[in-house]
Amino acid sequence: MHTASAHRVVVLAQDGAYPFEAGMPARVFGAADDAYEVVLCTPDGGPIRTNAGFDIAPSAGPEALADADTVIIAPVEPYSLQRELPRAVTDALAAVPDTARIVSICTGGFTLAAAGVLDGRRATTHWQCAPLFRGWFPDVELDEDVLFTSDGRVHTSAGAAAGIDLCLHLIREDHGSELANRAARRCVVAPHRDGGQAQFIERPVPNASDQSTSATRDWALGRLQEPLSVRALAEHAHMSERTFARRFLDETGLTPLRWLTQQRLTAARELLETTTLDVDGIAASVGYATGTSLRRHLSAALGTTPSRYRSTFRAVR
């Protein structure tokens, strides 16, 4: 049951759609209490045939796009990709308000690129489709090595799991970490993966007998206030620094130090949203040497100051 003030998310699905990604926004945004209303529509209002061989009947036609706050373009099977959009899709996209947030999941970025929405913007898509995308749409600044991108009101994501990451990111940007984390727990997914994290491109899955760095990551999360080094992490994992760094990158897509920076910034944001600790106190509790260091990292990541960030999410709540 959604309130009248709920943020309206409209998912546009086409023939050849992946059913998981077409329904995933409703699952993730629907887990964010009553903050969102999610509607699935199709270009002509009729059923679509999914790549799984069954049809999906939408709850609305393209008219639903006219009052959307966020529009999400669901992905399609690569064989369904088109350099030029069908008239029904073009007409449907023309109804999207200029104020709406535009989002694509995986190959949904092809639809936005074909419509000219991504011209001159940074965007991503599934790494396997990147060569085709780059050939068709040279005016788009494609980065296939990241999970998702944000360029003004336009957001794009890579494959299926990256779409979940982007939806949680949007909840976090709208309502803060507390609600995003609650939605993630309800969906039983990781609450935060930074958009700049690498896609897992043709990396072999470690053998079951190989040691994992997961226990050390859990250990580090409980000690963010300490001056952790790669050497200390490797010693905890009982590995050489070189082996640890290699396995860490294979498992997370990040170097150990970049991962630590990301986790410290995430913890600092949550404390800014949920406590009255001053900046120096927050910096010390998450492992930054000074409040100035925290300010610098927050500014680099989000383009804002701790006080502005805190006031923004107090206003949201």
Side-chain angles (χ1 to χ4, degrees), residues 71-126:
V71 172
I72 298 179
I73 309 300
V76 297
E77 181 76 27
Y79 69 74
S80 300
L81 295 174
Q82 300 180 63
R83 190 170 186 173
E84 294 186 6
L85 298 177
R87 179 62 181 270
V89 176
T90 302
D91 290 346
L93 291 175
V96 176
D98 292 338
T99 55
R101 180 165 59 192
I102 310 296
V103 179
S104 69
I105 298 174
C106 194
T107 58
F110 279 77
T111 297
L112 293 185
V117 175
L118 299 182
D119 286 354
R121 295 184 183 272
R122 180 169 175 259
T124 193
T125 189
H126 195 286

Side-chain angles (χ1 to χ4, degrees), residues 92-269:
L93 291 175
V96 176
D98 292 338
T99 55
R101 180 165 59 192
I102 310 296
V103 179
S104 69
I105 298 174
C106 194
T107 58
F110 279 77
T111 297
L112 293 185
V117 175
L118 299 182
D119 286 354
R121 295 184 183 272
R122 180 169 175 259
T124 193
T125 189
H126 195 286
W127 62 270
Q128 287 183 306
C129 299
L132 177 62
F133 188 104
R134 189 173 281 108
W136 280 3
F137 309 114
D139 293 333
V140 180
E141 184 185 339
L142 184 68
D143 185 351
E144 69 268 34
D145 293 330
V146 297
L147 297 178
F148 59 83
T149 65
S150 296
D151 188 332
R153 70 188 184 103
V154 180
H155 308 261
T156 63
S157 72
I164 297 174
D165 294 322
L166 179 52
C167 289
L168 289 171
H169 170 75
L170 296 177
I171 296 172
R172 186 176 298 106
E173 292 300 303
D174 290 343
H175 298 284
S177 296
E178 185 176 1
L179 183 57
N181 290 347
R182 190 154 64 243
R185 285 194 297 272
R186 288 169 177 167
C187 295
V188 198
V189 295
H192 180 72
R193 289 199 300 168
D194 182 69
Q197 183 169 329
Q199 293 188 39
F200 293 88
I201 302 174
E202 292 185 332
R203 291 195 176 110
V205 176
N207 294 329
S209 59
D210 287 349
Q211 288 177 284
S212 170
T213 64
S214 61
T216 296
R217 294 199 300 274
D218 291 340
W219 175 81
L221 286 173
R223 294 166 174 78
L224 290 178
Q225 74 279 9
E226 299 177 12
L228 298 170
S229 64
V230 176
R231 181 177 182 178
L233 295 172
E235 287 179 351
H236 179 271
H238 304 292
M239 302 179 194
S240 69
E241 289 185 43
R242 182 176 179 180
T243 298
F244 177 81
R246 185 183 70 249
R247 289 184 179 170
F248 198 99
L249 183 63
D250 285 343
E251 292 179 17
T252 69
L254 298 171
T255 65
L257 292 181
R258 185 177 177 188
W259 179 85
L260 277 171
T261 297
Q262 176 183 295
Q263 301 308 315
R264 284 176 168 140
L265 186 58
T266 297
R269 290 171 65 178

Side-chain angles (χ1 to χ4, degrees), residues 16-24 50-52 54 56 75:
Y18 288 93
F20 173 79
E21 287 89 336
M24 179 269 291
T50 69
N51 78 314
F54 58 82
I56 291 178

